[in-house]
Coordinates of all heavy atoms in Angstrom, one line a residue:
M1 N 80.7 67.0 103.1 CA 80.1 67.9 104.1 C 78.6 67.9 103.9 O 78.1 68.0 102.8 CB 80.7 69.3 104.1 CG 82.1 69.4 104.6 SD 82.6 71.1 104.8 CE 82.8 71.7 103.2
P2 N 77.9 67.8 105.0 CA 76.4 67.8 104.9 C 75.9 69.2 104.5 O 76.5 70.2 104.7 CB 76.0 67.5 106.3 CG 77.1 67.7 107.2 CD 78.3 67.7 106.4
L3 N 74.7 69.1 103.8 CA 74.1 70.3 103.3 C 73.0 70.7 104.4 O 72.2 69.9 104.8 CB 73.4 70.0 102.0 CG 72.9 71.2 101.2 CD1 74.1 72.1 100.7 CD2 72.2 70.6 99.9
Y4 N 73.0 72.0 104.8 CA 72.1 72.5 105.8 C 71.1 73.5 105.1 O 71.5 74.2 104.2 CB 72.8 73.2 106.9 CG 73.6 72.2 107.7 CD1 75.0 72.1 107.6 CD2 73.0 71.4 108.7 CE1 75.7 71.2 108.3 CE2 73.8 70.5 109.4 CZ 75.1 70.4 109.2 OH 75.9 69.5 109.9
D5 N 69.9 73.5 105.6 CA 68.8 74.3 105.1 C 68.6 75.4 106.0 O 68.4 75.2 107.2 CB 67.5 73.4 104.9 CG 66.5 74.2 104.1 OD1 66.8 75.1 103.4 OD2 65.3 73.8 104.3
F6 N 68.6 76.6 105.5 CA 68.3 77.8 106.4 C 67.1 78.5 105.8 O 66.8 78.6 104.6 CB 69.5 78.8 106.3 CG 70.7 78.1 106.9 CD1 71.7 77.4 106.2 CD2 71.0 78.3 108.3 CE1 72.8 76.8 106.8 CE2 72.1 77.7 108.9 CZ 73.0 77.0 108.1
R7 N 66.4 79.2 106.7 CA 65.2 80.0 106.2 C 65.1 81.3 107.1 O 65.2 81.2 108.3 CB 63.9 79.2 106.3 CG 62.7 79.9 105.8 CD 61.7 79.0 105.3 NE 62.2 78.2 104.2 CZ 61.5 77.5 103.4 NH1 60.2 77.4 103.6 NH2 62.0 76.7 102.5
C8 N 64.9 82.4 106.5 CA 64.8 83.7 107.2 C 63.3 83.9 107.5 O 62.4 83.1 107.2 CB 65.3 84.8 106.4 SG 64.2 85.3 105.0
S9 N 63.0 84.9 108.3 CA 61.7 85.2 108.8 C 60.7 85.6 107.6 O 59.5 85.5 107.7 CB 61.6 86.3 109.9 OG 62.2 87.4 109.3
A10 N 61.3 86.1 106.5 CA 60.5 86.4 105.3 C 60.2 85.2 104.5 O 59.5 85.3 103.5 CB 61.3 87.5 104.5
G11 N 60.8 84.0 104.8 CA 60.5 82.8 104.0 C 61.5 82.5 103.0 O 61.2 81.6 102.2
H12 N 62.5 83.2 102.9 CA 63.5 82.9 101.9 C 64.4 81.7 102.3 O 64.9 81.7 103.4 CB 64.5 84.1 101.6 CG 63.8 85.3 101.2 ND1 64.0 86.5 101.8 CD2 62.8 85.6 100.2 CE1 63.2 87.5 101.2 NE2 62.5 86.9 100.3
G13 N 64.4 80.7 101.5 CA 65.2 79.5 101.8 C 66.5 79.5 101.1 O 66.7 80.0 100.0
T14 N 67.6 79.0 101.8 CA 68.9 78.8 101.2 C 69.5 77.6 101.8 O 69.2 77.2 102.9 CB 69.8 80.1 101.5 OG1 71.0 79.9 100.9 CG2 70.0 80.3 103.0
E15 N 70.4 77.1 101.1 CA 71.2 75.9 101.5 C 72.6 76.2 101.5 O 73.1 76.9 100.7 CB 70.9 74.7 100.6 CG 69.5 74.2 100.7 CD 69.3 73.0 99.8 OE1 70.0 72.9 98.7 OE2 68.3 72.2 100.0
A16 N 73.3 75.7 102.5 CA 74.8 75.9 102.6 C 75.4 74.6 103.2 O 74.8 73.9 104.0 CB 75.1 77.1 103.5
S17 N 76.6 74.4 102.8 CA 77.3 73.2 103.2 C 78.4 73.6 104.2 O 79.2 74.5 104.0 CB 78.0 72.5 102.0 OG 78.6 71.3 102.4
F18 N 78.4 72.9 105.4 CA 79.4 73.1 106.4 C 79.8 71.9 107.0 O 79.1 70.9 106.9 CB 78.8 74.0 107.6 CG 78.3 75.4 107.2 CD1 77.0 75.7 106.9 CD2 79.3 76.4 107.1 CE1 76.6 76.9 106.5 CE2 78.9 77.7 106.8 CZ 77.6 77.9 106.5
A19 N 81.0 71.9 107.6 CA 81.4 70.7 108.3 C 80.5 70.6 109.6 O 80.0 71.6 110.1 CB 82.9 70.8 108.8
M20 N 80.3 69.4 110.1 CA 79.4 69.2 111.2 C 79.8 69.9 112.4 O 79.0 70.4 113.2 CB 79.2 67.7 111.5 CG 78.5 67.0 110.3 SD 78.2 65.3 110.7 CE 76.7 65.3 111.7
A21 N 81.1 70.0 112.6 CA 81.6 70.7 113.8 C 81.5 72.2 113.7 O 81.4 72.9 114.7 CB 83.1 70.3 114.1
D22 N 81.4 72.7 112.5 CA 81.4 74.2 112.2 C 80.0 74.7 111.8 O 80.0 75.9 111.4 CB 82.4 74.5 111.1 CG 83.8 74.2 111.5 OD1 84.1 74.1 112.7 OD2 84.6 73.9 110.6
R23 N 79.0 73.9 111.9 CA 77.7 74.4 111.3 C 77.2 75.5 112.3 O 77.1 75.4 113.4 CB 76.7 73.2 111.3 CG 76.4 72.7 112.7 CD 75.4 71.7 112.7 NE 75.2 71.4 114.2 CZ 74.4 70.5 114.7 NH1 73.7 69.9 113.8 NH2 74.4 70.3 115.9
P24 N 76.8 76.6 111.6 CA 76.3 77.7 112.3 C 74.8 77.5 112.5 O 74.1 76.8 111.8 CB 76.6 78.9 111.5 CG 76.5 78.4 110.1 CD 77.0 76.9 110.2
D25 N 74.2 78.2 113.6 CA 72.8 78.2 113.8 C 72.1 79.2 112.9 O 70.9 79.2 112.7 CB 72.4 78.4 115.3 CG 72.8 77.2 116.1 OD1 72.8 76.0 115.5 OD2 73.0 77.3 117.3
H26 N 72.9 80.3 112.5 CA 72.3 81.4 111.8 C 73.3 81.7 110.7 O 74.5 81.7 110.9 CB 72.1 82.6 112.6 CG 71.1 82.3 113.8 ND1 71.6 81.9 115.0 CD2 69.8 82.5 113.9 CE1 70.6 81.8 115.8 NE2 69.5 82.1 115.2
V27 N 72.7 82.1 109.5 CA 73.5 82.7 108.4 C 72.7 83.9 107.9 O 71.5 84.0 108.2 CB 73.8 81.7 107.3 CG1 74.6 80.6 107.7 CG2 72.5 81.2 106.6
A28 N 73.4 84.8 107.2 CA 72.7 85.9 106.6 C 71.9 85.5 105.4 O 72.4 84.7 104.5 CB 73.7 87.0 106.2
C29 N 70.7 85.9 105.2 CA 69.9 85.6 104.1 C 70.4 86.2 102.8 O 70.8 87.4 102.8 CB 68.4 86.1 104.3 SG 67.3 85.8 102.8
P30 N 70.7 85.5 101.7 CA 71.3 86.1 100.5 C 70.3 87.0 99.8 O 70.7 87.8 99.0 CB 71.6 84.8 99.7 CG 70.7 83.8 100.1 CD 70.4 84.0 101.6
V31 N 69.0 86.9 100.1 CA 68.0 87.8 99.4 C 67.8 89.1 100.1 O 68.0 90.2 99.6 CB 66.7 87.0 99.2 CG1 65.7 87.9 98.5 CG2 66.9 85.7 98.5
C32 N 67.5 89.0 101.4 CA 67.1 90.2 102.1 C 68.1 90.6 103.2 O 68.1 91.7 103.8 CB 65.7 90.1 102.8 SG 65.7 88.8 104.0
G33 N 69.1 89.7 103.5 CA 70.1 90.1 104.4 C 69.8 89.8 105.9 O 70.6 90.0 106.8
E34 N 68.6 89.4 106.2 CA 68.2 89.1 107.5 C 68.8 87.8 108.0 O 69.4 87.1 107.2 CB 66.7 89.0 107.6 CG 65.9 90.2 107.7 CD 64.5 90.0 108.1 OE1 64.2 89.1 109.0 OE2 63.6 90.7 107.6
T35 N 68.6 87.6 109.3 CA 69.2 86.3 109.9 C 68.3 85.2 109.5 O 67.1 85.2 109.7 CB 69.3 86.5 111.4 OG1 70.0 87.6 111.8 CG2 69.9 85.2 112.0
S36 N 69.0 84.1 108.9 CA 68.2 82.9 108.6 C 68.6 81.8 109.6 O 69.8 81.6 109.9 CB 68.7 82.4 107.2 OG 68.3 83.3 106.2
R37 N 67.6 81.2 110.1 CA 67.8 80.1 111.1 C 67.9 78.8 110.4 O 67.3 78.5 109.4 CB 66.6 80.1 112.1 CG 66.5 81.3 112.9 CD 65.4 81.2 113.9 NE 65.6 80.0 114.8 CZ 64.6 79.5 115.5 NH1 63.4 80.0 115.6 NH2 64.9 78.4 116.3
R38 N 68.8 77.9 111.0 CA 68.9 76.6 110.5 C 67.7 75.8 110.8 O 67.1 75.8 111.9 CB 70.1 75.9 111.1 CG 70.4 74.5 110.6 CD 71.8 74.0 111.0 NE 72.1 74.3 112.4 CZ 71.8 73.4 113.3 NH1 71.3 72.3 113.1 NH2 72.2 73.7 114.6
R39 N 67.2 75.0 109.8 CA 66.0 74.3 109.9 C 66.3 72.8 110.2 O 67.3 72.3 109.8 CB 65.1 74.3 108.6 CG 64.7 75.7 108.3 CD 63.9 75.7 107.0 NE 62.7 75.1 107.2 CZ 62.0 74.5 106.2 NH1 62.4 74.6 105.0 NH2 60.8 74.0 106.5
I40 N 65.5 72.2 111.0 CA 65.6 70.8 111.3 C 65.0 70.0 110.2 O 63.9 70.2 109.8 CB 64.9 70.4 112.6 CG1 65.4 71.3 113.8 CG2 65.1 68.9 113.0 CD1 66.8 71.2 114.1
P41 N 65.8 69.1 109.5 CA 65.3 68.4 108.4 C 64.2 67.4 108.9 O 64.3 66.8 109.9 CB 66.5 67.7 107.8 CG 67.4 67.6 109.0 CD 67.2 68.8 109.8
S42 N 63.2 67.2 108.0 CA 62.2 66.2 108.3 C 62.6 64.8 107.9 O 63.3 64.7 106.9 CB 60.9 66.6 107.6 OG 61.1 66.5 106.2
P43 N 62.3 63.8 108.7 CA 62.8 62.5 108.3 C 61.9 61.8 107.3 O 61.1 60.9 107.6 CB 62.7 61.7 109.7 CG 61.6 62.5 110.4 CD 61.6 63.9 110.0
R44 N 62.0 62.2 106.0 CA 61.3 61.6 104.9 C 59.8 61.6 105.0 O 59.1 60.7 104.6 CB 61.8 60.1 104.7 CG 63.2 60.0 104.3 CD 63.5 58.6 104.1 NE 64.9 58.4 103.7 CZ 65.4 57.2 103.5 NH1 64.7 56.1 103.5 NH2 66.7 57.1 103.1
L45 N 59.3 62.7 105.7 CA 57.8 62.8 105.8 C 57.1 63.0 104.5 O 55.9 62.7 104.3 CB 57.5 63.9 106.8 CG 57.9 63.6 108.2 CD1 57.5 64.8 109.1 CD2 57.2 62.4 108.8
S46 N 57.9 63.5 103.5 CA 57.2 63.8 102.2 C 56.8 62.5 101.5 O 55.9 62.5 100.7 CB 58.1 64.7 101.4 OG 59.3 64.0 101.1
I47 N 57.6 61.5 101.7 CA 57.3 60.2 101.0 C 56.6 59.2 101.8 O 56.4 58.1 101.4 CB 58.5 59.6 100.3 CG1 59.5 59.2 101.4 CG2 59.2 60.6 99.3 CD1 60.7 58.3 100.8
A48 N 56.3 59.5 103.1 CA 55.6 58.5 104.0 C 54.3 58.2 103.4 O 53.5 59.1 103.0 CB 55.5 59.1 105.4
G49 N 54.0 56.9 103.3 CA 52.7 56.5 102.8 C 52.7 56.2 101.3 O 51.8 55.7 100.7
S50 N 53.8 56.6 100.6 CA 53.8 56.4 99.2 C 54.3 55.0 98.9 O 54.8 54.3 99.8 CB 54.7 57.4 98.5 OG 56.1 57.2 98.9
S51 N 54.2 54.6 97.6 CA 54.7 53.2 97.3 C 56.2 53.1 97.4 O 56.7 52.1 97.7 CB 54.2 52.9 95.9 OG 54.7 53.8 95.0
A52 N 56.9 54.2 97.1 CA 58.3 54.2 97.2 C 58.8 54.0 98.6 O 59.7 53.3 98.9 CB 58.9 55.6 96.7
F53 N 58.0 54.6 99.6 CA 58.3 54.5 101.0 C 58.1 53.1 101.4 O 58.9 52.5 102.2 CB 57.5 55.5 101.8 CG 57.9 55.5 103.3 CD1 59.0 56.1 103.7 CD2 57.1 54.8 104.2 CE1 59.4 56.1 105.0 CE2 57.5 54.8 105.5 CZ 58.6 55.5 105.9
G54 N 57.0 52.5 100.9 CA 56.7 51.1 101.3 C 57.7 50.1 100.7 O 58.1 49.1 101.4
L55 N 58.3 50.4 99.5 CA 59.3 49.6 99.0 C 60.6 49.7 99.8 O 61.2 48.7 100.1 CB 59.6 50.0 97.5 CG 60.6 49.2 96.8 CD1 60.2 47.7 96.7 CD2 60.8 49.8 95.4
L56 N 60.9 50.9 100.2 CA 62.1 51.1 101.0 C 62.0 50.4 102.3 O 62.9 49.7 102.8 CB 62.4 52.6 101.3 CG 62.9 53.4 100.1 CD1 62.9 54.9 100.4 CD2 64.3 53.0 99.8
E57 N 60.8 50.5 102.9 CA 60.6 49.9 104.2 C 60.6 48.4 104.2 O 61.2 47.7 105.0 CB 59.3 50.4 104.8 CG 59.1 50.0 106.3 CD 57.9 50.7 106.8 OE1 58.0 51.9 107.3 OE2 56.8 50.1 106.8
S58 N 60.0 47.8 103.1 CA 60.0 46.4 103.0 C 61.4 45.8 102.7 O 61.7 44.7 103.1 CB 59.0 45.9 102.0 OG 59.4 46.3 100.7
T59 N 62.1 46.6 101.9 CA 63.5 46.2 101.6 C 64.4 46.1 102.9 O 65.1 45.2 103.1 CB 64.1 47.1 100.6 OG1 63.3 47.1 99.4 CG2 65.5 46.7 100.2
Q60 N 64.2 47.2 103.7 CA 65.0 47.2 104.9 C 64.5 46.1 105.9 O 65.3 45.5 106.6 CB 64.8 48.6 105.6 CG 65.5 49.7 104.9 CD 65.3 51.0 105.5 OE1 64.4 51.2 106.3 NE2 66.0 52.0 105.0
R61 N 63.2 45.9 105.9 CA 62.7 44.9 106.9 C 63.1 43.4 106.4 O 63.3 42.6 107.2 CB 61.2 45.0 106.9 CG 60.5 44.1 108.0 CD 59.0 44.3 108.1 NE 58.4 44.2 106.8 CZ 57.6 45.1 106.2 NH1 57.4 46.3 106.8 NH2 57.0 44.9 105.1
S62 N 63.2 43.2 105.1 CA 63.6 41.9 104.6 C 65.0 41.5 104.9 O 65.3 40.3 104.8 CB 63.3 41.8 103.1 OG 64.3 42.6 102.4
A63 N 65.8 42.5 105.3 CA 67.2 42.1 105.7 C 67.2 41.3 106.9 O 68.1 40.4 107.1 CB 68.0 43.4 105.9
H64 N 66.3 41.5 107.9 CA 66.3 40.7 109.1 C 65.0 40.0 109.3 O 64.9 39.1 110.3 CB 66.6 41.5 110.3 CG 65.9 42.8 110.4 ND1 64.6 42.8 110.9 CD2 66.1 44.1 110.0 CE1 64.2 44.1 110.9 NE2 65.1 44.8 110.3
E65 N 63.9 40.2 108.5 CA 62.7 39.5 108.7 C 62.2 39.0 107.3 O 61.3 39.7 106.7 CB 61.6 40.4 109.3 CG 61.8 40.8 110.6 CD 60.7 41.8 111.1 OE1 59.6 41.7 110.6 OE2 61.0 42.5 112.0
P66 N 62.8 38.1 106.6 CA 62.4 37.7 105.3 C 61.0 37.1 105.3 O 60.6 36.4 106.2 CB 63.5 36.6 104.9 CG 64.0 36.1 106.2 CD 63.9 37.3 107.1
E67 N 60.3 37.4 104.2 CA 58.9 36.9 104.1 C 59.0 35.4 103.8 O 59.8 34.9 103.0 CB 58.2 37.6 102.9 CG 57.7 38.9 103.2 CD 56.9 39.5 102.1 OE1 56.1 38.7 101.5 OE2 57.0 40.6 101.8
V68 N 58.1 34.7 104.4 CA 57.9 33.2 104.2 C 56.9 33.0 103.2 O 55.7 33.5 103.3 CB 57.6 32.5 105.6 CG1 57.4 31.1 105.3 CG2 58.6 32.8 106.6
V69 N 57.3 32.3 102.1 CA 56.3 32.1 101.0 C 56.1 30.6 100.9 O 56.9 29.8 101.3 CB 56.8 32.6 99.7 CG1 56.9 34.1 99.7 CG2 58.2 32.0 99.4
A70 N 54.9 30.2 100.4 CA 54.5 28.8 100.2 C 55.1 28.2 99.0 O 55.4 27.0 98.9 CB 53.0 28.7 100.3
S71 N 55.2 29.1 97.9 CA 55.8 28.5 96.7 C 56.7 29.6 96.1 O 56.6 30.8 96.5 CB 54.6 28.2 95.7 OG 54.0 29.3 95.3
T72 N 57.4 29.3 95.1 CA 58.3 30.2 94.5 C 57.6 31.2 93.6 O 58.1 32.3 93.4 CB 59.4 29.5 93.6 OG1 58.7 28.7 92.7 CG2 60.3 28.7 94.5
N73 N 56.4 30.9 93.1 CA 55.7 31.8 92.2 C 54.2 31.8 92.6 O 53.4 31.2 91.9 CB 55.9 31.4 90.8 CG 55.5 32.4 89.8 OD1 55.1 33.5 90.2 ND2 55.5 32.1 88.5
P74 N 53.8 32.4 93.7 CA 52.5 32.3 94.2 C 51.5 33.1 93.3 O 51.8 34.2 92.8 CB 52.5 33.0 95.6 CG 53.7 33.9 95.5 CD 54.7 33.2 94.6
G75 N 50.4 32.5 93.0 CA 49.3 33.2 92.2 C 49.5 33.2 90.7 O 48.7 33.7 90.0
K76 N 50.6 32.6 90.3 CA 50.8 32.6 88.8 C 50.8 31.1 88.3 O 51.6 30.7 87.5 CB 52.1 33.2 88.5 CG 52.1 34.7 88.7 CD 52.4 35.4 87.4 CE 52.2 36.9 87.5 NZ 52.4 37.5 86.3
R77 N 49.9 30.3 88.8 CA 49.9 28.9 88.4 C 49.1 28.9 87.0 O 48.0 29.3 86.9 CB 49.1 28.0 89.4 CG 49.9 27.9 90.6 CD 50.9 26.7 90.5 NE 51.8 26.8 91.6 CZ 52.9 26.1 91.6 NH1 53.3 25.5 90.5 NH2 53.7 26.2 92.6
S78 N 49.8 28.4 86.0 CA 49.0 28.3 84.7 C 48.6 26.8 84.5 O 49.4 25.9 84.8 CB 49.9 28.7 83.6 OG 50.8 27.7 83.2
P79 N 47.4 26.6 84.2 CA 46.9 25.2 84.0 C 47.5 24.5 82.8 O 47.5 23.3 82.7 CB 45.4 25.4 83.9 CG 45.2 26.7 83.4 CD 46.3 27.5 83.9
T80 N 48.0 25.3 81.8 CA 48.5 24.7 80.6 C 50.0 24.4 80.9 O 50.7 25.1 81.6 CB 48.4 25.7 79.5 OG1 49.1 26.9 79.8 CG2 46.9 25.9 79.2
P81 N 50.5 23.3 80.3 CA 51.9 23.0 80.4 C 52.7 24.0 79.7 O 52.3 24.7 78.8 CB 52.1 21.6 79.8 CG 50.9 21.4 78.9 CD 49.8 22.3 79.5
T82 N 54.0 24.2 80.1 CA 54.8 25.2 79.5 C 55.4 24.7 78.2 O 55.9 25.5 77.4 CB 56.0 25.5 80.4 OG1 56.7 24.3 80.8 CG2 55.4 26.2 81.7
T83 N 55.3 23.4 77.9 CA 55.8 22.9 76.6 C 54.8 22.1 76.0 O 54.0 21.4 76.6 CB 57.1 22.1 76.8 OG1 57.6 21.7 75.5 CG2 57.0 21.0 77.7
S84 N 54.8 22.1 74.6 CA 53.8 21.2 73.9 C 54.6 20.1 73.2 O 53.9 19.3 72.5 CB 53.1 22.1 72.9 OG 54.0 22.7 72.0
N85 N 55.9 20.0 73.4 CA 56.6 18.9 72.7 C 56.3 17.6 73.5 O 56.5 17.5 74.7 CB 58.1 19.2 72.8 CG 58.9 18.3 72.0 OD1 58.5 17.1 71.8 ND2 60.1 18.7 71.6
P86 N 55.8 16.5 72.7 CA 55.4 15.3 73.4 C 56.6 14.5 73.9 O 56.5 13.7 74.9 CB 54.7 14.5 72.3 CG 55.1 15.1 71.0 CD 55.4 16.5 71.3
L87 N 57.8 14.8 73.4 CA 59.0 14.1 73.9 C 59.3 14.5 75.4 O 59.9 13.8 76.1 CB 60.1 14.3 73.0 CG 60.0 13.7 71.6 CD1 61.2 14.1 70.8 CD2 59.9 12.2 71.7
H88 N 58.9 15.7 75.7 CA 59.2 16.2 77.1 C 58.4 15.5 78.2 O 58.8 15.5 79.3 CB 58.9 17.7 77.2 CG 59.8 18.5 76.4 ND1 59.6 19.9 76.1 CD2 61.0 18.2 75.8 CE1 60.6 20.4 75.4 NE2 61.5 19.4 75.2
R89 N 57.3 14.8 77.8 CA 56.5 14.0 78.7 C 57.3 12.8 79.2 O 57.0 12.2 80.2 CB 55.2 13.6 78.1 CG 54.2 14.8 77.9 CD 52.9 14.3 77.4 NE 52.1 15.5 77.0 CZ 51.4 15.5 75.9 NH1 51.3 14.3 75.1 NH2 50.8 16.5 75.5
K90 N 58.2 12.3 78.4 CA 59.0 11.1 78.7 C 60.2 11.5 79.7 O 60.8 10.5 80.2 CB 59.6 10.5 77.5 CG 58.5 10.0 76.6 CD 59.1 9.3 75.4 CE 58.0 8.8 74.4 NZ 58.6 8.2 73.2
L91 N 60.4 12.7 79.9 CA 61.5 13.1 80.8 C 61.2 12.8 82.2 O 60.0 12.8 82.6 CB 61.8 14.6 80.7 CG 62.4 15.1 79.4 CD1 62.4 16.6 79.3 CD2 63.8 14.5 79.2
P92 N 62.2 12.4 83.0 CA 61.8 12.1 84.5 C 61.3 13.3 85.2 O 61.8 14.4 84.9 CB 63.2 11.6 85.0 CG 64.2 12.2 84.0 CD 63.5 12.3 82.7
R93 N 60.4 13.0 86.1 CA 59.8 14.1 86.9 C 60.4 14.1 88.3 O 60.7 13.1 88.8 CB 58.3 14.0 86.9 CG 57.7 14.1 85.6 CD 56.2 13.9 85.6 NE 55.7 13.9 84.2 CZ 55.3 15.0 83.6 NH1 55.3 16.2 84.2 NH2 54.8 14.9 82.4
P94 N 60.4 15.2 88.9 CA 60.9 15.3 90.3 C 60.0 14.6 91.3 O 58.8 14.5 91.1 CB 61.0 16.8 90.6 CG 60.1 17.4 89.6 CD 60.0 16.5 88.4
Ligands
ZN1 ZN1 65.3 86.6 103.5

């Protein structure tokens, strides 16, 4: 069941879980007893602009718009060979 957030006019927040068909618009505040209204949740506005949000967005976008790259390891070209064994130079090259 989804968790709903309620807040009374005094600013006390409370959370309660209800079935979606039975969710009330108001509950009694557990602190002061006043009527607490159900709040509309924000759509991830707290993490918008952060690196975590960028990672989530690029991951979702890559599902249908994969990035086109020129090489498998861009920007990490090392001028030195990866092996110093002279016998490896005799191996066939692609
Ligand atoms: Zn209250």
Side-chain angles (χ1 to χ4, degrees):
M1 286 193 289
L3 192 65
Y4 293 100
D5 189 21
F6 295 90
R7 184 153 299 189
C8 73
S9 59
H12 304 127
T14 183
E15 291 179 338
S17 185
F18 295 99
M20 291 182 82
D22 299 334
R23 66 175 179 181
D25 288 335
H26 302 88
V27 295
C29 176
V31 179
C32 63
E34 278 193 38
T35 302
S36 297
R37 293 183 57 195
R38 182 165 46 90
R39 299 179 68 203
I40 306 296
S42 63
R44 295 184 180 177
L45 291 179
S46 61
I47 64 167
S50 69
S51 59
F53 187 78
L55 181 62
L56 285 172
E57 192 172 272
S58 69
T59 302
Q60 289 174 351
R61 190 175 52 239
S62 70
H64 49 84
E65 293 176 26
E67 281 189 41
V68 178
V69 295
S71 66
T72 56
N73 195 3
K76 288 244 176 184
R77 292 277 167 197
S78 81
T80 59
T82 55
T83 178
S84 60
N85 190 334
L87 293 176
H88 290 169
R89 292 186 193 136
K90 295 181 180 177
L91 290 174
R93 295 181 186 268

